[in-house]
Structures are given as structure tokens and as C-alpha cells.
Amino acid sequence: MAPRRTEAVHKDAGGIDAQAPDSVLRLLADAQIEAARAVHSAIPAIAQAAEKVAACLAGGGRLVYAAAGSSGLMALADALELPGTFGIPRERVFILLAGGREALVNLAGGPEDDVDLAASDVAATGLKAGDCLVAISASGSTPYAMSALEEARRRGAATIAFANNAGAPMFDIADVSVLLATPPEVVAGSTRMGAGTAQKIALNMMSTLAAIHLGHVHDGYMVNLHADNIKLHERAARIVSAISGCDTATAQALLEKSGGSVKLAILLASGASSPEAANQLLEGADQRLRSALSKLEGSRGSHQ
């Protein structure tokens, strides 16, 4: 394996403990920006990962994240928001964090070395062919993440690995490898910083592109959101209004008629005769609103 950049000393970190607070913070901010830039070189691999995730979810499969420590927190942040933002059913998104729920209040290091725990955690999800497991590790060699990948591959699931070191052993196991070549940390080895920032960005990019592939984003709007609070109900109405051109009061009424579905409400506002007819349009368009709207417009034109 290549020398771990995630354990190397940052070139500007010498004497950091003797510098003025503003200088320290400027260095930390610049290092985060530099780490974020590392994501650009990973775009082709992230695109492949998003395609795998979208294919899995489109086929009725489940998406599983597996990680330890700071990488686990980045996985948690991405995974937990998928149901609300993109309407992906909660029962189809799993988060395997080394140490389980206890890790959310005590992020101990020991569980990340437990390969048997990783295998049993994967087995407990019932992972199988048609599902997809995403493993994240800054070093690229965390035993928990590697064991989860190996068990997922043994079960026939698609596998994706995110790591911040070139030549990471995880890359030899996964179907898709995403290298986030972040520079050394200002605090050597503290991968909650630059490496974690790049992971957060890359995971968000992957899941957002997967949602776009699935038809859950239209003109920058989250048209498959799950509105379960006042803010999101208001956002849903604004989305329906913005895309269809109706006023917000009409949008709210159509959302009630459509059972809260933004896509169906937009189709109703655009001329669909009923929620059932709108749903048929969506199903015929693979849940892609743009295609469904085009079909609706075409059918209206043919009757004029």
C-alpha cells in the first residue's frame, strides 16, 4: 500500500501551537478548501457510484452504508436525509456504524477493528443480489469497512468504496472505487477534518446524482420530497406552484388531493384529470416528471 497521506504531517503545521488564533483558523479554513477541491478528480468515479446506487434503488433493492468513526458520521449524515429529501423509503436505507447506536454517544475506536461484527451487521440486513453497499474509510483499510465489503460481495450485492489514500486495500474489493485524494491534515491523522469534508461532499454528490437518475429532482427542485413538517409542507406547495404556474393556495389543495405527492400535484395542476390518471402518467414515465409532463402536453395537444 502507498504511504498514507491521511497520517502525514501538513507542510504548514509546524509551530501551529504558537501562532495567533486568526492565523490558526485561516490555516484550518484553507486546508478544508484544499480538501474539498480533491473531490473534483473523483467525479468520474462518483458518477459510476451514483449509477450503481440508482440502479439498485430503481430495481427495488436496498442501499447500505458501512463505516466506522468519523467516516461513519459522514455516512450517517448522507443516509438519514435521503427519505425526507428524495422520498426514498426509510426501510430501504440502512446505516451500519461500527459500535452501533452506542457509537453515537461514545465514538470508541475498538469496534472499527471488529471484522466479525461487520460481517454479522451486514448479515442482519439480509443483504443480497440487487442491493448495494457503500463503505467509507479515510485510510481505506479500516477492518470493519473492509469486512463489510467482503461480506456484501460474498452475498452478491453491488459494492462501492470511498477512501482518501491511493492504493487503498478496499479498492481491491469494491466494484466501484472512489479515491478522494485529500492533502495531509493540519492535525496529522485527524481525518474528521479535510478527509471528512471531502467524504461529506462526495457522498452528497453521489446520492443527489442517484436521485436525479431516479427522477426525484426537476429543475433543481426536490419533487419527491416527504413533507412531514410545516416547513416542508410549505416548500412542497412552493415547488408545485413554481413548476406548474398555479398559485400556492391551489398548490396546497392539489397536494391534499394527491396525498402529499408533489409530482402528482404538479401533473394535476398541469391538466391531469385525476390522481389516478396522473399516477399512470408517472408510472409510464419511470417516475420522471419531465417525461410525464411531455406526455400530458402531447395528449392534450392531440385532443385539440
Side-chain angles (χ1 to χ4, degrees):
M1 179 178 175
R4 292 182 180 178
R5 285 177 54 136
T6 51
E7 296 293 333
V9 177
H10 192 280
K11 60 182 177 61
D12 297 325
I16 189 173
D17 50 295
Q19 293 180 25
D22 285 2
S23 297
V24 174
L25 293 176
R26 195 168 293 110
L27 173 57
L28 291 172
D30 288 345
Q32 291 281 42
I33 292 167
E34 190 179 359
R37 288 197 190 105
V39 175
H40 282 277
S41 61
I43 283 175
I46 296 171
Q48 292 178 13
E51 191 172 353
K52 284 272 187 193
V53 170
C56 156
L57 293 172
R62 294 165 301 162
L63 176 61
V64 179
Y65 293 72
S70 297
S71 296
L73 299 181
M74 297 306 101
L76 191 72
D78 193 58
L80 283 179
E81 292 191 323
L82 297 184
T85 305
F86 300 124
I88 296 169
R90 293 187 184 277
E91 64 271 15
R92 292 175 61 195
V93 181
F94 290 76
I95 307 154
L96 305 182
L97 183 60
R101 292 179 181 272
E102 174 63 22
L104 298 178
V105 293
N106 178 24
L107 202 59
E112 76 175 47
D113 294 331
D114 196 333
V115 295
D116 292 334
L117 174 64
S120 65
D121 283 351
V122 172
T125 69
L127 196 75
K128 62 183 185 302
D131 296 333
C132 181
L133 183 133
V134 180
I136 308 99
S137 163
S139 69
S141 59
T142 303
Y144 183 92
M146 289 188 63
S147 178
L149 277 173
E150 288 168 344
E151 181 65 16
R153 186 173 67 170
R154 189 184 72 80
R155 291 169 167 269
T159 51
I160 299 167
F162 284 79
N164 297 78
N165 284 313
M170 282 171 57
F171 293 159
D172 295 330
I173 305 171
D175 298 323
V176 178
S177 300
V178 182
L179 170 61
L180 304 171
T182 47
E185 304 286 359
V186 174
V187 178
S190 183
T191 53
R192 73 188 184 93
M193 301 173 74
T197 294
Q199 289 172 0
K200 176 68 164 62
I201 294 169
L203 288 170
N204 283 172
M205 290 167 62
M206 177 192 73
S207 56
T208 301
L209 180 55
I212 291 171
H213 285 323
L214 292 167
H216 298 337
V217 178
H218 179 97
D219 285 345
Y221 292 107
M222 51 177 81
V223 291
N224 209 49
L225 70 83
H226 174 65
D228 58 0
N229 63 25
I230 294 172
K231 176 188 72 176
L232 292 181
H233 279 291
E234 291 175 349
R235 180 181 298 164
R238 288 197 303 272
I239 292 170
V240 173
S241 176
I243 294 175
S244 71
C246 71
D247 58 52
T248 53
T250 300
Q252 289 170 345
L254 291 174
L255 280 165
E256 289 186 19
K257 189 174 181 180
S258 69
S261 169
V262 171
K263 291 180 183 178
L264 294 184
I266 291 168
L267 288 169
L268 288 170
S270 301
S273 60
S274 67
E276 293 75 22
N279 192 53
Q280 284 184 343
L281 278 168
L282 264 183
E283 289 182 350
D286 292 327
Q287 297 300 313
R288 287 166 174 77
L289 180 61
R290 191 176 304 280
S291 297
L293 286 169
S294 294
K295 288 185 177 184
L296 179 60
E297 183 63 28
S299 67
R300 289 170 64 189
S302 66
H303 288 94
Q304 290 177 355

